[in-house]
Amino acid sequence: MPVDPPARLAGETSPHGAGGQQRSAQRPPPRGPATSAVEVRRSARRSRTVSAYREGDRTIVLIPARMSEAEERRWVGVMLDKLAAQESKRVLGDVELTERAERLSAQYFDGRARPASVRWVTNQNTRWGSCTPAEGSIRLSHRLQGMPEYVVDYVLLHELAHLLVPGHGPRFWRLLEAYPRTERARGYLEGVVAAGRLPHLPAERGE
């Protein structure tokens, strides 16, 4: 996520058949909706393990230099899934949430949005977040807990933007254009809402 330190590893996994000399290379994987912010770094010093971490808006995946193209694609997917699973289990407290909002404001709004408080609430079941500009207070629905961090960041930025622009006019959306995962996060939340409206499917035989 944009505000996480680069030391958050997704663990190390040991693929077979890797090795090489003391050299390293950087090469991004084929780009697509899920991998546009992924960078693969090859290194001969890494002979048996694969790991990954967040660095700003990118995910860095470290692999052995001699890994094949097919193995690279497979292990990138594995490590992205591991990172997502780790992040979904981590719930920020209110103090961490406030600090995160301040860092996001500094990164995307030049620090102009200054929340007085940011906290989780359990009484917002129809909105993901809300704010009171006069008080500088921001509230996030507890339903966001467990969602990917880029989604929580988007909702935080959405409410931070309201501290600067009250409505949802063109100026408001221009502010959010600074966040590169705006559309992805909106699509994720729209999917959650749509899934909640679907009828429950009948159980498979034998369940």
Side-chain angles (χ1 to χ4, degrees):
M1 298 315 300
V3 296
D4 289 336
R8 292 186 55 220
L9 296 178
E12 292 194 338
T13 310
S14 178
H16 298 291
Q21 301 177 355
Q22 294 297 319
R23 62 184 179 81
S24 63
Q26 296 183 14
R27 183 172 57 78
R31 293 195 175 267
T35 61
S36 59
V38 176
E39 179 181 332
V40 175
R41 295 180 182 175
R42 292 175 174 262
S43 174
R45 291 178 296 178
R46 181 174 292 269
S47 61
R48 299 186 61 186
T49 60
V50 178
S51 63
Y53 60 87
R54 306 294 192 196
E55 185 179 87
D57 291 333
R58 297 177 300 167
T59 299
I60 308 301
V61 181
L62 307 174
I63 65 173
R66 294 178 60 186
M67 183 175 283
S68 70
E69 297 289 328
E71 288 176 319
E72 174 186 319
R73 287 192 294 270
R74 182 169 71 88
W75 282 104
V76 165
V78 168
M79 301 315 287
L80 288 176
D81 288 345
K82 282 192 173 186
L83 274 179
Q86 287 179 355
E87 292 171 349
S88 68
K89 294 177 182 177
R90 183 169 180 262
V91 177
L92 300 175
D94 288 350
V95 173
E96 292 178 297
L97 205 60
T98 300
E99 293 173 349
R100 192 179 191 89
E102 291 171 349
R103 291 195 296 267
L104 287 168
S105 175
Q107 183 171 358
Y108 294 103
F109 300 153
D110 297 322
R112 291 179 294 126
R114 300 177 181 176
S117 66
V118 185
R119 60 191 175 91
W120 297 107
V121 294
T122 58
N123 61 352
Q124 288 189 164
N125 293 319
T126 59
R127 291 186 293 182
W128 298 114
S130 62
C131 79
T132 305
E135 300 175 356
S137 61
I138 291 175
R139 298 162 296 279
L140 296 192
S141 171
H142 71 288
R143 295 180 300 147
L144 289 166
Q145 294 176 348
M147 291 189 186
E149 289 186 356
Y150 74 89
V151 176
V152 177
D153 283 353
Y154 164 73
V155 178
L156 276 173
L157 282 165
H158 186 107
E159 301 309 328
L160 286 167
H162 277 311
L163 296 180
L164 303 174
V165 180
H168 289 98
R171 183 167 166 243
F172 174 86
W173 293 112
R174 279 197 297 271
L175 283 174
L176 287 182
E177 286 176 358
Y179 183 55
R181 297 188 177 184
T182 288
E183 291 304 319
R184 183 180 176 189
R186 283 172 58 84
Y188 184 100
L189 293 172
E190 289 170 359
V192 170
V193 172
R197 293 172 179 168
L198 292 174
H200 291 293
L201 298 176
E204 295 289 340
R205 185 167 52 189
E207 289 186 352

